[in-house]
């Protein structure tokens, strides 16, 4: 085992004990990146080679010199006997949707390819203030619009370290691939419909979507402002808790970052699950999706391996003292995607109007004497098909003649989805749950190019994660075993507002219960 | 099932959105939009009585949880030239754009 394979909490401990230095940790991660990552994503990339197909390609921009300066500063602090911070010397990657001062901050789009952020996003600044070392910016779907990373304008797009012909999921696929491949123990991602939890499930890592407003969005390039949540990606629950300690909390720069006290997420981690009520819902063991040929909707059960992993988790938690509540109705789960198709597109269209070739970003090189023509060409050449789709759908469903039928209706359906959770978690209601235990995804990682281009089916990959975004409640995806193809299965815990500490505590108990499982010792293909 | 977003509606949307698409891209995007609308139509079958209000944020904000607004105070920015350097075309600290077309309102 190399330093880069150790967990964040182990690295932080060994550093404080002066057994290792921050520079040694950094060099170990850079060596791993050199050996498994391959060429970074770029615009106008050449066709894939056989070697490319054996690499992870998590990065767009690696910033080794910046990282080295930070690591040396941490080592100097330790040598001087100063407190270097709780995450001192721990490397992390950042989804390239966050602004980091002086670095290219591209959103994986041609339209921002030349943009250098003039300030740093709050969650990144908090990680660095805690002593963590940023390694660079990792790839994502363009503007986060996708569930596979294939829509990135920066190719090659990331590949799943567990099986390199599979997608890592998305949109935080660069984040989860970098953590699964041992390039960094932590990554900062964002989750708007499942974009942390779905790729975490596909890549066999822990990914948490905090409560909406728990983590500041300042410096996050916005997609859907009422749904976007920054959150941690880690290889285990303790590391996710450590990262939550650093990034959570109110922020004067974000008026939606809630003024709610932040607990110490590590404090209750080992308290077990005795007495906690954990629910299972039949509505999370099936998916409903449209048949585009005949306009009907089809419902199918999830693959047996995925359901079995979730039920086994419930059995293990029950054996540790949790009370499992079967049959919790979440009847509006199936409407999460249709409502999301409307709400997220309206918000995306609004947020994307700012990219116009005037103040920053891409401007068409074609000469024109007409401002409107410059807008059209800059946006037409700068945006890929996914942003264009979202802008156009957002404008259509919010148009005066359609907004009642689509946008206002979707917002009311969102109320029903929230009510499902309110009922399940109501302390004086029939279910009184501390958490709902579900699968994270309807499938394990699919093959590259298998879904890309079909914007409807791709969106349904988020069916089991998007309800939490509508409702604003927190969720975490945990590695829950491997399927018959050796691909990771994700299990998900959802809880009431601001209950991240309880979800992490349950996750930690599950980790302990499965500590000796053989799948815990299997390494991803990229590390074989 | 006929397409709700016809080529004419699509062209109008593209114009409003200040976008430009080549014919191949336009065909793909219009088809995907119509497919997405088929999924969205599921919402129409949901019974919604008058008591179901719209939710714009899942998590409710209260007086206690809403952060206090910052004072509305002018502050100099440390590096205005750095901001201007991001603009594709500048002249003497002005951002340069092509002519803004003049329209006479009737």
């Amino acid at each position: 085992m190399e330093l880069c394979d150790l967990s964040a909490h182990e690295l932080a401990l060994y550093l404080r004990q002066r057994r290792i230095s921050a520079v040694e940790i950094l060099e170990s991660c850079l060596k791993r990146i050199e050996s498994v990552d391959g060429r970074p994503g770029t615009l106008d990339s050449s066709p894939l080679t056989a070697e490319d197909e054996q690499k992870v390609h998590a990065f767009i921009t690696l910033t080794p010199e910046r990282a080295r300066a930070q690591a040396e500063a941490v080592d100097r602090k330790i040598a001087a006997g100063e407190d270097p911070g709780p995450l001192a010397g721990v490397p992390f990657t950042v989804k390239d949707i966050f602004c980091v001062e002086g670095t290219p901050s591209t959103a994986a789009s041609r339209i921002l390819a030349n943009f250098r952020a003039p300030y740093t996003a709050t969650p990144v600044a908090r990680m660095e203030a805690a002593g963590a070392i940023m390694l660079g910016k990792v790839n994502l779907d363009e503007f986060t619009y996708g569930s596979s990373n294939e829509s990135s304008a920066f190719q090659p797009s990331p590949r799943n370290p567990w099986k390199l012909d599979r997608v890592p999921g998305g949109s935080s696929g660069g984040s989860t691939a970098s953590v699964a491949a041992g390039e960094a123990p932590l990554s900062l991602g964002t989750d708007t419909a499942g974009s942390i939890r779905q790729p975490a499930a596909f890549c066999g890592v822990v990914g948490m979507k905090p409560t909406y407003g728990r983590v500041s969005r300042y410096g996050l390039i916005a997609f859907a402002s009422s749904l976007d949540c920054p959150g941690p990606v880690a290889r285990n629950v303790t590391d996710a808790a450590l990262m939550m300690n650093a990034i959570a909390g109110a922020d004067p720069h974000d008026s939606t970052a809630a003024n709610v006290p932040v607990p110490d997420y590590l404090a209750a981690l080992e308290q077990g699950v005795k007495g906690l009520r954990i629910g299972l819902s039949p509505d999370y063991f099936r998916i409903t999706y449209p048949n585009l040929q005949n306009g009907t909707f089809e419902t199918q059960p999830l693959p047996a391996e995925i359901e079995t992993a979730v039920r086994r988790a419930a059995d293990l938690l029950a054996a540790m003292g949790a009370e499992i509540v079967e049959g919790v109705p979440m009847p509006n789960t199936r409407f999460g995607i249709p409502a999301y198709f409307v709400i997220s597109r309206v918000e995306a269209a609004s947020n994307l109007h700012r990219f116009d070739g005037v103040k920053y970003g891409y401007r068409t090189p074609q000469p024109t004497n007409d401002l409107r023509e410059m807008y059209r060409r800059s946006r037409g050449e700068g945006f890929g098909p996914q942003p264009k789709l979202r802008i156009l759908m957002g404008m259509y469903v919010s148009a005066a003649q359609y907004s009642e039928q689509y946008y206002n209706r979707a917002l009311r359906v969102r109320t029903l989805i929230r009510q499902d959770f309110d009922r399940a978690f109501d302390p004086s209601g029939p279910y009184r749950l501390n958490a709902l235990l579900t699968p994270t995804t309807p499938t394990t990682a699919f093959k590259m190019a298998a879904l890309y281009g079909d914007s409807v089916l791709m969106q349904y990959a988020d069916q089991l994660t998007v309800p939490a975004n509508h409702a604003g409640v927190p969720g975490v995806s945990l590695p829950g075993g491997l399927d018959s193809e050796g691909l990771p299965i994700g299990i998900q815990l959802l809880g009431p507002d601001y209950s991240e500490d309880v979800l992490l505590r349950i996750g930690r108990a599950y980790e302990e219960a499965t500590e000796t499982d053989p799948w815990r010792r299997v390494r991803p293909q990229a590390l074989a | 099932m006929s397409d709700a977003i016809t080529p004419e509606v699509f062209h109008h949307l593209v114009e409003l959105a200040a976008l430009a698409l080549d014919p191949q891209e336009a065909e793909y995007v219009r088809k995907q939009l119509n497919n997405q609308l088929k999924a969205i139509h599921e919402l129409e079958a949901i019974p919604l009585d008058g008591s179901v209000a719209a939710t714009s944020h899942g998590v409710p904000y209260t007086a206690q949880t809403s952060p206090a607004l910052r004072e509305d105070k002018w502050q100099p920015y440390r590096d205005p030239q750095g901001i201007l350097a991001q603009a594709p075309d500048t002249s003497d600290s002005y951002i340069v754009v092509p002519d803004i077309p003049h329209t006479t309102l009737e």
Side-chain angles (χ1 to χ4, degrees):
Chain A
M1 179 159 309
E2 295 165 45
L3 284 181
C4 61
D5 293 311
L6 295 180
S7 64
H9 65 273
E10 286 170 316
L11 290 172
L13 177 70
Y14 297 163
L15 190 87
R16 282 166 177 277
Q17 293 172 338
R18 303 193 184 199
R19 291 162 62 185
I20 50 176
S21 72
V23 170
E24 284 171 329
I25 300 169
L26 172 65
E27 295 304 335
S28 175
C29 288
L30 292 175
K31 197 173 145 205
R32 173 62 57 81
I33 293 166
E34 171 77 26
S35 113
V36 304
D37 209 61
R39 61 188 169 118
T42 55
L43 294 176
D44 309 315
S45 167
S46 53
L48 287 183
T49 64
E51 191 194 344
D52 286 335
E53 291 177 359
Q54 297 304 311
K55 299 291 183 186
V56 176
H57 307 290
F59 281 85
I60 290 178
T61 305
L62 190 63
T63 52
E65 293 316 315
R66 188 179 184 280
R68 234 172 237 122
Q70 288 180 329
E72 285 164 2
V74 166
D75 286 338
R76 277 197 301 274
K77 271 190 180 177
I78 291 172
E82 296 170 29
D83 179 2
L87 283 170
V90 176
F92 72 111
T93 61
V94 175
K95 184 179 184 179
D96 203 11
I97 196 74
F98 289 97
C99 290
V100 178
E101 187 172 351
T103 69
S105 297
T106 69
S109 179
R110 181 179 293 273
I111 211 160
L112 280 178
N114 62 2
F115 176 63
R116 282 186 174 265
Y119 67 102
T120 297
T122 296
V124 179
R126 287 183 176 171
M127 289 291 287
E128 294 191 330
I133 313 290
M134 192 193 79
L135 294 175
K137 313 290 283 296
V138 284
N139 218 331
L140 61 147
D141 283 289
E142 185 175 357
F143 277 102
T144 77
Y145 303 162
S147 306
S148 72
N149 265 236
E150 292 160 289
S151 69
S152 173
F154 289 74
Q155 296 288 328
S157 65
R159 306 174 87 85
N160 192 316
W162 284 87
K163 232 175 186 191
L164 291 157
D165 64 346
R166 305 293 171 130
V167 300
S171 62
S172 307
S175 288
T176 57
S178 66
V179 171
E183 297 175 324
L186 299 174
S187 187
L188 180 67
T190 61
D191 191 313
T192 307
S195 278
I196 288 174
R197 291 162 289 156
Q198 185 256 20
F202 279 13
C203 290
V205 295
V206 174
M208 170 163 262
K209 178 203 102 70
T211 310
Y212 181 86
R214 179 78 288 183
V215 178
S216 169
R217 292 180 296 118
Y218 179 70
L220 161 64
I221 298 169
F223 162 14
S225 303
S226 80
L227 299 159
D228 293 340
C229 293
V233 174
R235 283 198 291 268
N236 60 64
V237 172
T238 308
D239 286 3
L242 196 58
M243 188 160 161
M244 280 298 293
N245 274 354
I247 63 176
D251 175 12
H253 293 299
D254 177 1
S255 62
T256 62
N259 195 15
V260 174
V262 180
D264 178 351
Y265 292 105
L266 290 169
L269 214 49
E270 308 291 342
Q271 284 180 5
V273 292
K274 197 158 189 230
L276 293 181
R277 289 171 64 85
I278 299 171
L280 295 171
S281 171
D283 297 304
Y284 275 85
F285 289 117
R286 56 187 171 226
I287 53 161
T288 301
Y289 56 95
N291 178 328
L292 298 176
Q293 263 62 51
N294 61 19
T296 60
F297 286 83
E298 292 175 6
T299 299
Q300 282 195 354
L302 293 194
E305 289 177 302
I306 293 180
E307 177 161 351
T308 301
V310 176
R311 294 202 177 274
R312 175 165 182 260
D315 291 343
L316 291 170
L317 294 167
M320 297 173 94
E323 192 175 339
I324 302 299
V325 182
E326 295 262 6
V328 179
M330 302 292 286
N332 295 293
T333 303
R334 63 177 284 187
F335 304 130
I337 293 296
Y340 182 77
F341 263 130
V342 176
I343 296 167
S344 69
R345 272 52 173 179
V346 172
E347 296 185 14
S350 171
N351 280 322
L352 290 180
H353 281 308
R354 73 191 65 173
F355 303 107
D356 56 8
V358 174
K359 297 183 291 299
Y360 51 83
Y362 177 86
R363 181 186 289 191
T364 180
Q366 299 179 56
T368 170
N369 294 321
D370 179 330
L371 180 68
R372 285 191 304 221
E373 187 59 24
M374 191 279 285
Y375 288 158
R376 278 192 289 270
R377 287 186 184 171
S378 298
R379 289 160 62 81
E381 294 161 18
F383 286 132
Q386 296 309 317
K388 286 175 181 166
L389 258 169
R390 277 163 168 80
I391 293 167
L392 293 168
M393 181 58 90
M395 296 190 73
Y396 181 78
V397 294
S398 61
Q401 66 270 43
Y402 299 124
S403 64
E404 193 56 43
Q405 178 186 356
Y406 293 125
Y407 184 55
N408 292 341
R409 192 167 185 87
L411 290 178
R412 295 171 75 203
V413 171
R414 186 175 185 177
T415 303
L416 299 181
I417 294 170
R418 170 77 194 189
Q419 287 172 350
D420 281 355
F421 287 103
D422 285 343
R423 216 169 16 248
F425 300 140
D426 181 354
S428 50
Y431 303 104
R432 305 182 304 284
L433 299 183
N434 297 102
L436 191 67
L437 171 64
T438 80
T440 310
T441 54
T443 66
T444 52
F446 42 86
K447 282 197 170 157
M448 303 211 46
L451 285 189
Y452 187 58
D454 185 335
S455 65
V456 174
L457 265 189
M458 186 68 86
Q459 191 69 79
Y460 275 81
D462 296 332
Q463 184 160 150
L464 306 179
T465 47
V466 74
N469 297 81
H470 285 303
V473 300
V476 63
S477 180
L478 308 163
L482 300 173
D483 73 3
S484 54
E485 292 187 90
L487 291 165
I489 294 171
I491 62 172
Q492 177 176 235
L493 291 161
L494 303 170
D497 299 343
Y498 307 109
S499 67
E500 290 86 353
D501 51 346
V502 178
L503 300 185
L504 292 167
R505 183 175 142 197
I506 299 169
R508 178 70 195 119
Y510 172 76
E511 262 180 4
E512 279 195 305
T514 54
E515 210 167 45
T516 57
D517 281 8
W519 62 268
R520 289 263 182 212
R521 257 152 289 290
V522 181
R523 301 254 289 171
Q525 181 194 357
L527 303 182
Chain B
M1 203 189 272
S2 62
D3 287 345
I5 300 179
T6 61
E8 292 71 32
V9 171
F10 183 75
H11 179 75
H12 179 60
L13 284 172
V14 169
E15 182 68 23
L16 286 177
L19 286 174
L21 289 84
D22 65 43
Q24 195 185 351
E25 192 178 30
E27 191 185 328
Y28 166 75
V29 169
R30 191 173 76 83
K31 184 179 171 200
Q32 292 299 316
L33 288 174
N34 280 302
N35 285 348
Q36 291 182 10
L37 268 185
K38 287 174 190 161
I40 290 169
H41 279 147
E42 195 182 10
L43 297 177
E44 291 170 20
I46 304 169
L48 289 172
D49 65 36
S51 68
V52 181
T55 291
S56 55
H57 272 96
V59 180
Y61 281 81
T62 65
Q64 284 73 40
T65 62
S66 299
L69 293 177
R70 279 178 288 147
E71 196 183 345
D72 187 8
K73 202 169 94 185
W74 177 84
Q75 292 174 50
Y77 181 65
R78 61 190 151 83
D79 183 21
Q81 287 309 316
I83 297 285
L84 277 170
Q86 299 274 348
D89 193 1
T90 56
S91 173
D92 295 335
S93 295
Y94 286 96
I95 292 173
V96 178
V97 294
D99 284 345
I100 299 169
H102 291 262
T103 307
T104 305
L105 295 175
E106 293 173 2

